């Protein structure tokens, strides 16, 4: 499904719609250029799940942020600076996938080989200063 967003708020509301469909155990793979809105999308998701939006930041230097929301624990990773799959293994990525929380990965294409075959793929594309195309697809069985 493709959405057109014209503001940060609209991007967050697309994330809210997605949040309503989550059951726990999902892996969300986010891709898009620098500044495409991946972190804002995660903020919308965490807010919709009852977590604190201000806690959400790009985990670029932390590699992993954990948010406790009313419903699920959200594990927020960023593969931008990872050297390779080994770094993700080191933080226990595979175990995170088994916690029945929500695992969200920015720059997911960089660790594609580690992603579960069933996942929600989201690609954000900047189409104007404030405009973003957000494509969401569920892949795998
Ligand atoms: N429609 C929109 N949706 C999301 N962000 C928008 C939109 N319009 C403008 N922006 C701006 O674009 C930037 C998106 O930043 P954000 O940190 O979410 O990007 P990112 O994809 O996580 O980047 P990075 O790869 O550096 O982590 C913010 O400065 C935000 O204000
Ligand atoms: Mg980010």
């Amino acid at each position: 499904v493709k959405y057109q967003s014209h503001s940060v708020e609209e991007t967050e509301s697309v994330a809210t719609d997605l949040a309503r469909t989550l059951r726990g155990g999902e892996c969300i793979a986010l891709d898009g250029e620098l500044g495409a809105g991946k972190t804002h999308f995660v903020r919308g998701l965490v807010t919709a799940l009852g977590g604190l939006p201000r806690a959400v930041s790009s985990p670029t230097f932390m590699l992993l942020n954990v948010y406790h929301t009313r419903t699920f624990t959200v594990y927020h990773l960023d593969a931008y600076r990872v050297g390779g799959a080994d770094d993700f293994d080191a933080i226990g990525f595979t175990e995170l996938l088994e916690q029945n929380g929500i695992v969200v990965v920015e720059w997911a294409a960089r660790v594609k080989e580690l992603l579960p075959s069933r996942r929600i793929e989201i690609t954000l594309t900047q189409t104007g200063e404030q405009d973003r195309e957000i494509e969401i697809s569920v892949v795998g069985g």
Side-chain angles (χ1 to χ4, degrees):
V1 195
K2 275 186 191 171
Y3 300 86
Q4 304 298 329
S5 163
H6 309 286
S7 65
V8 168
E9 292 71 27
E10 276 187 55
T11 296
E12 296 195 358
S13 97
V14 174
T16 299
D17 288 350
L18 177 68
R20 293 202 180 98
T21 71
L22 299 174
R23 295 288 172 267
E26 286 91 350
C27 177
I28 301 175
L30 283 165
D31 284 292
E33 294 300 304
L34 287 168
K38 299 181 293 298
T39 300
H40 275 85
F41 191 93
V42 178
R43 189 167 291 153
L45 202 68
V46 168
T47 306
L49 295 173
L52 294 174
R54 66 169 185 282
V56 178
S57 62
S58 232
T60 302
F61 298 101
M62 313 294 287
L63 209 54
L64 169 67
N65 287 345
V66 180
Y67 317 117
H68 299 284
T69 76
R70 201 165 46 224
T71 38
F72 307 110
T73 302
V74 178
Y75 303 95
H76 181 195
L77 299 101
D78 193 321
Y80 186 64
R81 279 164 204 276
V82 299
D86 289 355
D87 289 353
F88 255 49
D89 273 343
I91 59 164
F93 183 66
T94 313
E95 286 71 34
L96 294 182
L97 294 170
E98 294 162 359
Q99 303 305 306
N100 279 310
I102 308 296
V103 176
V104 188
V105 184
E106 294 193 37
W107 293 96
R110 299 193 177 199
V111 289
K112 203 167 183 165
E113 65 273 29
L114 292 181
L115 300 176
S117 54
R118 182 177 174 83
R119 59 186 184 261
I120 300 168
E121 288 193 347
I122 304 180
T123 304
L124 292 105
T125 309
Q126 181 163 4
T127 52
E129 199 179 325
Q130 305 256 69
D131 303 325
R132 305 289 189 272
E133 183 177 277
I134 304 170
E135 183 166 17
I136 301 183
S137 51
V138 179
V139 304

